Structures are given as C-alpha cells and as structure tokens.
Amino acid sequence: ILQGSAAERLHTKVWETLLKSCFTERVINSDSFSRERADSIFDRSEIETCVDFKLSTVQVKGLLDWLSSFFLHARMADTEIMTFGLYSKWGRYVPYVSLMMGALARGYVTKVVNGSDDMSPYQIMALLWQPVVTVYSPWIQPLVAADGVMTSPWVESDDTLAVDVVSSFRKTAHFIYQQMHIKHPASSSGVLSLLLMYYMSGLSTKNSVSHIIFTFVSELKQLPWQELRPDLQLLETMVKMKEVASPCCFTLIGHILPHIQWQSLMSHFLTQQNTELTSRMQAGLAILLVQSYVDPKFSQDEKVCHLLSEAQTFDWSMVTPDGYSCVCSWFMQLCDSKCVLAERTSNLALGIRLLKEVAGFKADIAWTEQLSI
C-alpha cells in the first residue's frame, strides 16, 4: 500500500479499507445491503478512538520502526522531497497516513503501559517516547540535507495537510500524558517536559519560518501546560530559545509561561534543592519573565502581565550578582526606554518593578514630596 501510494497509483478507498479493517470493530451483519452500506462509509473518528488491537507489543513496535524508516528514507533519498517535504508527494494520502501513525502509536502506548507494573515511570516514558517521536519526525522535523543546508518539513502551500499530521502528533502526546496520569499521576508532567524539549531541540531552528511554527503553536498550546513542572535543564533550555532559534519559536514558550505554577515550583526548589540549583532556577525564571516582558507578542498579554505582577511577590533571595547581571542584560538590550518614565501602575512599568524585586531593592521609608526635592 505504501509503495502504491508513493507512486500515486492507489485509490484512497484502499486506505479506508485498510484502516477500517485494522482499527475498528467490524460488526457481522447478515443483511448484505446493510453490510455493503457500512463498508462504504469511512468515519475517521472511529480510527481516532482506537487505542488497542490484536497485535503484540513487539509487532506494533516493529511497525512503528518500519514506518519511521520508510518515510525517513523517502524524504532523504529524493532531493525534491528533501527540499519541499513529504506532503507535496503524498498529498491525498496524508490524512490516512496520519490516522495510521496515530492509531499504531496509541496501541503501542496502551500495550506498554498495561504491561508496565514492574517498571518505574521514567522507564515507561523512555520506552514510549522515542518510537512515537521517530514515526512522526520525517513529517514534522527540519532535517539537514547532504549539502549541510537545513530544510523545512513542509512549504507554506502544504500547511493544511501538515495540520493533519501535527494534530495527530499532539493527540498522541496527550494520550501518553493521560495514560501516565492514570498510572503514575505524580510523574505524568514528565511527558509535557519531553514534548517541550523536543519542540525546542528538534522542531525549532535558526531557520524556522513563522507559518510552520504557527502550526505547531496552534496545536501544542491545547495541551494541559498548567501541569508542567520544569526542572533546571528544561528551564535553562527555555531561556536559550531566543538565542538559538528563530524569534517566532519563542511563541510557544510565551504561551506556556503563565500557565505554570511558578510560586509552588520556586518554593519547592527553595526548600528541597541545594543553593546552586535554586540560584540558577530563580535567575532562569527572572530571565524568562524579562524575555516575555520585552517581546512585542506578549508585552501586553493579560496572562503574562498577571504573572509579572505575581512574580514581584516571589522569593528572589538566591539570585547571585552574575545571575542578576544576566537578567539586566536582557532587559537593557530589548526593553522600551519609555518604561523608565512609565506610571508605576502601568503594564509598561512591570519590567522595572520586577528588576527591583529581583535585586532586593527595598525602600525603608515611604516616598514623600520632601524626598523628591
């Protein structure tokens, strides 16, 4: 079927028959007319709700690996496909391929989680994450061509097709999160951490273009980011995004930032972690807040402004002089100079107010007219 599709010689009805046969419950109906009518109707929602089927874990893993290799080779072996992405070649088959990848991935997740009684949550996520990412990566990830040029996963004219695959990837990631939340609720946020790290290290580059990042952000922002609990490595990777990736890539970070429970997270680090880790965590968060404050997309965002106001009540006592210098460097490079003269209660003044709190600047006496003379 894949070979026939690659040659663009296969009718889409073949794909529909394959998907219905593999991923839906087929009801035996004695009425030939009813049976023929049922066979002629293709409902993609039936495929999307399939979470298990009669194959072993090893067989499903083998299929995922084989699909990954097939599409990666298809993309790497053809210069035109490497340049323009798989979508231009696979066109009408893309919705069916995305359904198949999603169904196989969900089936694999179900089988691994159900058989994981003797495994730690980290072992389960290690088994799950890589095969799932690998099967989608030929469709969504930038790749380096033979001449060293970074190529985009699709061109703007294929945005509509790409949404199908990115949406399938998002739903699969959410399914992993849900299954882990049922099995190991305290560790389920690790799935969101893995996804965000993949977005930053695998999907975002200096050459990323806005229409591709917009597709990722539109889909990924639907996930329950309020459950994310960043560790130091993830936080410091978020901080580096403005330096190592295209400016548009920060959009997802800016969306996620206000949803995280920073107050409780900072309190945890302050009471449970050593001084150095806590200091780096506080400095990293301060930089992220400043980066959001100076970003035109988020400087007036209601949720970001609320977080900036809330952050003035956080404990910043562990920020070192070097850490504070780095925070100020970001602020001085990108801030609007008008913020210095802005009214204290305005959104424009939030950055200066935050810097004062992080610095530990506290006035012991009230400001009066006599002091201003």
Side-chain angles (χ1 to χ4, degrees):
I1 287 176
L2 289 174
Q3 288 172 346
S5 300
E8 300 180 74
R9 295 176 178 174
L10 206 66
H11 198 286
T12 54
K13 287 289 185 184
V14 178
W15 272 100
E16 293 178 3
T17 301
L18 171 69
L19 293 172
K20 285 194 293 186
S21 299
C22 295
F23 305 119
T24 63
E25 294 287 340
R26 295 179 64 80
V27 179
I28 305 300
N29 198 318
S30 57
D31 184 345
S32 59
F33 175 77
S34 299
R35 184 167 62 249
E36 182 179 340
R37 183 175 180 276
D39 288 342
S40 67
I41 298 173
F42 180 74
D43 183 357
R44 63 176 296 151
S45 65
E46 291 184 354
I47 313 299
E48 291 177 326
T49 54
C50 175
V51 297
D52 204 1
F53 33 83
K54 295 179 180 178
L55 290 176
S56 69
T57 307
V58 174
Q59 287 173 319
V60 180
K61 172 69 162 53
L63 283 171
L64 286 170
D65 291 344
W66 189 84
L67 274 177
S68 306
S69 299
F70 179 88
F71 286 117
L72 182 60
H73 180 266
R75 186 170 168 193
M76 299 288 288
D78 189 304
T79 306
E80 183 178 335
I81 293 178
M82 189 65 174
T83 303
F84 298 104
L86 290 162
Y87 300 91
S88 57
K89 183 76 171 178
W90 283 76
R92 62 189 179 196
Y93 305 117
V94 170
Y96 303 105
V97 173
S98 69
L99 283 172
M100 179 170 65
M101 292 191 298
L104 286 172
R106 287 190 302 277
Y108 177 66
V109 171
T110 299
K111 293 175 187 301
V112 170
V113 171
N114 287 346
S116 64
D117 291 340
D118 298 328
M119 290 189 283
S120 72
Y122 302 102
Q123 289 174 316
I124 299 171
M125 285 190 283
L127 277 176
L128 293 177
W129 189 250
Q130 200 55 44
V132 169
V133 166
T134 306
V135 79
Y136 283 101
S137 61
W139 295 90
I140 64 175
Q141 189 170 321
L143 294 178
V144 179
D147 58 3
V149 175
M150 182 69 73
T151 61
S152 296
W154 69 85
V155 294
E156 193 166 2
S157 58
D158 290 326
D159 276 352
T160 304
L161 289 171
V163 167
D164 238 0
V165 179
V166 177
S167 177
S168 176
F169 175 61
R170 185 259 304 168
K171 290 173 182 176
T172 301
H174 192 207
F175 182 73
I176 298 175
Y177 168 80
Q178 290 174 320
Q179 296 306 300
M180 287 299 297
H181 192 68
I182 293 169
K183 192 83 173 179
H184 298 283
S187 302
S188 56
S189 69
V191 178
L192 298 172
S193 296
L194 287 170
L195 177 59
L196 183 56
M197 186 64 83
Y198 177 58
Y199 168 80
M200 294 188 292
S201 60
L203 303 180
S204 303
T205 71
K206 273 287 188 185
N207 302 317
S208 293
V209 290
S210 57
H211 73 92
I212 290 177
I213 297 302
F214 176 79
T215 302
F216 288 140
V217 173
S218 296
E219 287 296 326
L220 298 182
K221 72 180 184 181
Q222 300 176 45
L223 293 169
W225 294 109
Q226 69 276 7
E227 303 300 330
L228 179 66
R229 299 291 181 270
D231 58 12
L232 184 60
Q233 181 186 11
L234 186 67
L235 181 71
E236 292 187 335
T237 306
M238 293 165 73
V239 168
K240 294 174 184 175
M241 278 296 285
K242 279 192 175 280
E243 295 179 290
V244 303
S246 172
C248 61
C249 298
F250 188 79
T251 306
L252 184 62
I253 309 299
H255 170 79
I256 291 171
L257 201 62
H259 291 83
I260 299 172
Q261 306 301 313
W262 290 111
Q263 182 73 276
S264 61
L265 190 64
M266 290 296 106
S267 297
H268 168 77
F269 264 80
L270 201 59
T271 56
Q272 304 295 325
Q273 301 294 337
N274 64 51
T275 302
E276 182 188 354
L277 291 182
T278 304
S279 173
R280 289 166 61 186
M281 195 76 176
Q282 288 186 358
L285 175 57
I287 293 171
L288 272 179
L289 292 171
V290 167
Q291 288 176 343
S292 297
Y293 167 75
V294 299
D295 192 307
K297 294 189 191 72
F298 298 105
S299 59
Q300 297 299 318
D301 183 90
E302 184 179 342
K303 292 179 180 177
V304 170
C305 290
H306 177 75
L307 175 60
L308 287 165
S309 296
E310 185 185 14
Q312 294 172 45
T313 66
F314 292 179
D315 187 329
W316 299 105
S317 59
M318 305 302 290
V319 177
T320 63
D322 286 343
Y324 186 72
S325 177
C326 191
V327 176
C328 289
S329 177
W330 275 103
F331 185 85
M332 295 299 290
Q333 286 179 55
L334 300 171
C335 76
D336 185 343
S337 56
K338 294 177 183 176
C339 68
V340 178
L341 302 175
E343 291 184 21
R344 178 175 171 77
T345 56
S346 69
N347 288 342
L348 192 57
L350 285 171
I352 290 286
R353 287 159 58 190
L354 177 64
L355 286 183
K356 288 180 179 179
E357 292 296 332
V358 177
F361 178 80
K362 305 287 185 184
D364 293 326
I365 56 176
W367 188 262
T368 66
E369 288 186 12
Q370 287 76 13
L371 287 172
S372 66
I373 296 174

